[in-house]
């Protein structure tokens, strides 16, 4: 990377010559490698995207040298590249949906398919202080339902809902990070998984909202439309 500014592989703040520890985020330049390395930290893709270390989402941190912003890079080496690019393209067309982390680009490189996601600033919902109040739970459910409504209207299931992919922004909003990797899950399974994720996170809530969660976790909502209807009338918090 001759001629390029040295940057931290985690936050991509500029690093002084010879520096190891990042003064911005404290990263020491090392990485605990777990599982197969699909992308190599320190390399550049398309002469545009720098590859950094693994993020808590399982993707890689990256830096877009054209736009000068941090991104996340999802690499896929499975056989279903066409399905991967179908999902990435579909999500790129709804990049203005506030409830979903936007997809910015997708391409092939050295045998891998790569999807470029927004940086998903903030932190995973699973790392937020608990319990959630009823109003906060109503906000989380409503935001997740909005995101799933968009996905399911594209004939796409999330397929990998977990606490790291439900993101709380600095403004207190909830955004869903959606992998482009193809999955066999159905939209109904997304709803069940959402209920299972949120059920342990709340404190004292009304019986009516508790009934919504019980039905959600049990797979008793046929579609996200039914969930949104069940959530009508609940006062949602302004932020998480």
């Amino acid at each position: 990377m001759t001629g390029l500014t040295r940057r931290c592989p985690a936050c991509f703040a500029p690093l002084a010559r010879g520096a190891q520890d990042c003064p911005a985020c404290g990263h020491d330049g090392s990485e605990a490698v777990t599982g197969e390395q699909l992308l190599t930290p320190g390399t550049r893709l398309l002469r545009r995207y720098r590859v950094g270390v693994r993020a808590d989402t399982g993707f890689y941190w990256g830096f877009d040298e054209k736009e000068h912003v941090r991104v996340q890079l999802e690499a896929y080496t499975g056989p279903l590249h066409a399905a991967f690019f179908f999902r990435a393209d579909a999500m790129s067309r709804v990049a203005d949906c506030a409830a979903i982390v936007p997809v910015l680009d997708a391409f092939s490189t050295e045998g891998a398919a790569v999807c470029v996601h927004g940086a998903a600033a903030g932190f995973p919902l699973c790392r937020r202080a608990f319990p959630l109040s009823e109003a906060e739970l109503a906000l989380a459910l409503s935001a997740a339902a909005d995101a799933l409504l968009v996905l399911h209207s594209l004939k796409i299931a999330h397929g990998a809902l977990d606490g790291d992919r439900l993101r709380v922004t600095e403004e207190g909003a909830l955004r869903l990070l959606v992998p482009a990797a193809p999955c066999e899950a159905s939209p109904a399974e997304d709803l069940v998984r959402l209920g299972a994720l949120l059920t342990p996170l709340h404190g004292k809530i009304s019986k009516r909202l508790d009934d919504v969660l019980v039905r959600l976790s049990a797979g008793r909502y046929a579609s996200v439309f039914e969930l949104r209807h069940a959530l009508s009338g609940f006062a949602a918090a302004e932020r998480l």
Side-chain angles (χ1 to χ4, degrees), residues 5-6 17 19 36 56 66 80 95 101 104 119 134 139-140 146 151 156 158-159 191 198 211-214 223 234:
T5 302
R6 289 188 68 237
R17 179 176 298 184
E36 183 183 4
D56 52 15
K66 179 180 178 181
L80 304 177
V101 176
L104 307 174
E134 175 159 325
L139 173 61
D146 288 345
L151 286 182
I156 288 175
H158 187 287
L191 296 177
L198 294 180
D211 287 344
V212 170
L213 276 180
V214 170
S223 71
F234 288 105

Side-chain angles (χ1 to χ4, degrees), residues 38-39 43-51 60 62-65 71-77 81-82 84-89 92 103-117 180:
L38 302 181
L39 298 176
T43 58
R44 296 169 73 206
L45 306 177
L46 302 186
R47 296 196 295 180
R48 174 175 177 174
Y49 300 105
R50 290 200 205 187
V51 180
Y60 292 81
F63 186 75
D64 182 343
E65 293 175 342
V71 296
Q72 288 195 72
L73 304 170
E74 175 192 2
Y76 174 74
T77 57
H81 280 210
F84 179 93
F85 287 119
F86 171 83
R87 285 172 63 94
D89 178 67
S92 72
V103 166
L104 307 174
D105 197 2
F107 53 89
S108 293
T109 178
E110 298 179 359
V114 178
C115 181
V116 182
H117 300 262

Side-chain angles (χ1 to χ4, degrees), residues 18-227:
Q20 292 298 322
D21 294 351
C22 175
C25 72
H27 191 272
D28 63 4
S30 64
E31 179 185 15
V33 177
T34 57
E36 183 183 4
Q37 284 280 64
L38 302 181
L39 298 176
T40 304
T43 58
R44 296 169 73 206
L45 306 177
L46 302 186
R47 296 196 295 180
R48 174 175 177 174
Y49 300 105
R50 290 200 205 187
V51 180
V53 297
R54 286 267 178 91
D56 52 15
T57 58
F59 301 163
Y60 292 81
W61 287 120
F63 186 75
D64 182 343
E65 293 175 342
K66 179 180 178 181
E67 300 296 334
H68 300 285
V69 295
R70 193 165 70 146
V71 296
Q72 288 195 72
L73 304 170
E74 175 192 2
Y76 174 74
T77 57
L80 304 177
H81 280 210
F84 179 93
F85 287 119
F86 171 83
R87 285 172 63 94
D89 178 67
M91 288 187 290
S92 72
R93 289 185 272 112
V94 294
D96 58 347
C97 175
I100 297 176
V101 176
V103 166
L104 307 174
D105 197 2
F107 53 89
S108 293
T109 178
E110 298 179 359
V114 178
C115 181
V116 182
H117 300 262
F123 55 91
L125 178 62
C126 61
R127 295 185 186 175
R128 184 197 178 280
F130 298 112
L132 297 178
S133 67
E134 175 159 325
E136 290 168 337
L137 178 60
L139 173 61
L141 279 167
S142 297
D146 288 345
L148 291 177
L149 179 62
V150 172
L151 286 182
H152 295 173
S153 69
L154 297 171
K155 309 302 182 185
I156 288 175
H158 187 287
L161 268 175
D162 61 30
D164 286 326
R165 289 173 178 168
L166 287 170
R167 312 289 299 185
V168 180
T169 70
E170 293 176 357
E171 295 75 29
L174 188 75
R175 303 183 84 185
L176 191 59
L177 180 63
V178 186
C183 68
E184 297 181 356
S186 67
E189 289 173 293
D190 281 346
L191 296 177
V192 171
R193 183 59 181 155
L194 178 64
L197 281 171
L198 294 180
T199 294
L201 307 184
H202 66 78
K204 185 176 181 180
I205 59 175
S206 66
K207 184 179 185 304
R208 182 178 166 224
L209 187 54
D210 185 62
D211 287 344
V212 170
L213 276 180
V214 170
R215 291 175 60 85
L216 187 61
S217 301
R220 295 173 63 187
Y221 290 115
S223 71
V224 71
F225 291 103
E226 288 190 11
L227 172 59

